Amino acid sequence: MKAKGHVFKYGDNIDTDVIIPARYLSTGDPDQLKKHCMEDIDKDFVNKVKAGDIIVGQKNFGCGSSREHAPIAIKASGVSCVIAESFARIFYRNSINIGMPIIECAEAASKIEKDDEVEVNFNTGEINNITKNEIYIGQKYPEFLQNIIQKGGLVNYINDNVGGK
Amino acid sequence: MAMTMTQKILAAHVGLQEVVAGQFIEANLDMVLANDITGPVAIKEFDKMGAKEVFHKDKIALVPDHFTPNKDIQSAEQSKILREFAYSQEITNYFEVGEMGIEHALLPEKGLVVAGDVVIGADSHTCTYGALGAFSTGVGSTDMAGGMVTGKAWFKVPSAIQFELINKPQEWVSGKDIILHIIGKIGVDGSLYKSMEFTGQGIKYLSMDDRFTISNMAIEAGAKNGIFPVDEETIKYIKEHSTKEYKVFEADEDAVYDEKYVLDLSEIRPTVAFPHLPENTKTIDQVGDVSIDQVVIGSCTNGRIEDLRAAAKVFEGNKVKKGVRAIIIPATQKIYLQAIEEGLVKIFIEAGAIFSTPTCGPCLGGHMGILAEGERCVSTTNRNFVGRMGHTKSEVYLASPAVAAASAIAGKIYNPEKIVEER
Ligand code: SF4
């Protein structure tokens, strides 16, 4: 399982309010949410982002509320992976559970720059910076977490495993 | 490799000899919890998962507590979804208003969580049960749904920070002052991802109610869980409340901690967290003159019987200052009855406070005491974020029940030691 794209880079403590502001939470529809993704920190994001692109943040990415709307908005915008030095823990869980890959790697978070082209291999935890020709090693997922993400989230994963029980 | 207490509990729930920090695991769950806000969302996801039945009808707890007794039509609809699901799935632990309480006070009281358990709840204060020597943590609604279907949840094994508590706290210092002191010291992300593991001879001076308060607010330091070792006090509590089998886990002596703190409890003063973060703490000696409009004593943090006793001790023979609203909310029906039987309610009402049926109510700005613009409240709850209890320009000061009661009498943030001296 891999992700590949160009990088949008942000700083520490990117909170769920800037990822998707509370004023847009009256809907859970991914297509509506993606129109406002990162709006309060990067107005250009929604216009520039292309399918497969990667977000790189620093410390405590996704801190704040437990709203699942935040990873949903990022995923719906086409982003294939978020890399950060660390994630707030409920954001981390919610991302995996809705099928959006995220990976922790301090080295990658500091060395990758805006617009670099990066490929992430979730099976090995390898993050390949194609632009800089560097490889960083992040935390790799065990099989069942890969499964959850591959199936598009916990709902489908469980559906396939125990559905119709 | 040596393991922390949390790691040992998790290892036992995956059937492994050993787990290490950072490892991903899928653990078996002993209890899965939701309330009237998160439950309906989880039920929707549950339906999407294509499951017809929950994994175990005794291992799910559904507690309508946030907006109950229902404050409006919308909240009544939410509760209805929860109720209908509970009945159709024959969930054993569904609690209607007459037998309910705030979830995190109710579950231990009903004996639904014991030492050694692994518990998830679609509520961030699920970490409360660490006081019992259980691993418990808050999750999102999808996790909750998955837990109801499979009886399992995935976790990343946390590392830990050790807090060694030594010596005996001063008379008016409670679990609330201790945890506020700790959060003031390490900050709201001081324990991000990590377990807070409490150890030390000072624990023997802490009642179960003190420990519940401390574990409850572990999340306010960003922690995954906050856990106490199991001692005689814990076992006594479990035996009194539960018939479930419990299991005692201990951290290895050479367990590795990311950081270690030693806290001399005898030096901690009554502590107040100023707006708008729980880490903005000051001791009662530093607070200055802060006049207030309202006091709330209650919540999953401080609505237990000892909290009410401490408040009553301060209120007895005193009057709530004119112009101040004092709202006291016991956390469960059992505590409500106990407060009546012990004569505490009489003291509250004679002092000019109100005493309500159990509910989260004002804690999350729901109902039963919302703040207007510019108003200030001393509250025994756990969060003082912008707008948490009402208007975005209102202010919440977090404190212990004794400090809250003293403040209601003085009309400003006040030291309970002084009220008792002056009487
Ligand atoms: S009392 Fe407050 S913090 Fe506790 S469960 Fe209710 S709303 Fe949440």
Side-chain angles (χ1 to χ4, degrees), chain B residues 152-207:
Chain B
K152 290 176 197 267
W154 64 269
F155 298 104
K156 186 172 163 192
V157 176
S159 61
I161 301 180
Q162 187 188 57
F163 296 87
E164 187 185 348
L165 312 180
I166 57 168
N167 301 333
K168 191 175 173 189
Q170 299 166 15
E171 186 184 354
W172 290 101
V173 170
S174 67
K176 183 60 160 285
D177 303 292
I178 296 169
I179 189 64
L180 286 176
H181 173 85
I182 291 173
I183 296 166
K185 206 174 167 101
I186 68 172
V188 292
D189 61 353
S191 195
L192 188 66
Y193 279 150
K194 298 177 184 176
S195 305
M196 297 171 83
E197 297 210 344
F198 301 98
T199 62
Q201 42 91 348
I203 291 175
K204 67 171 179 277
Y205 303 110
L206 302 177
S207 68

Side-chain angles (χ1 to χ4, degrees), chain A residues 150-165:
Chain A
Q150 246 158 11
K151 297 215 154 110
L154 194 68
V155 170
N156 296 342
Y157 171 78
I158 290 178
N159 210 328
D160 286 359
N161 283 290
V162 300
K165 184 177 88 174

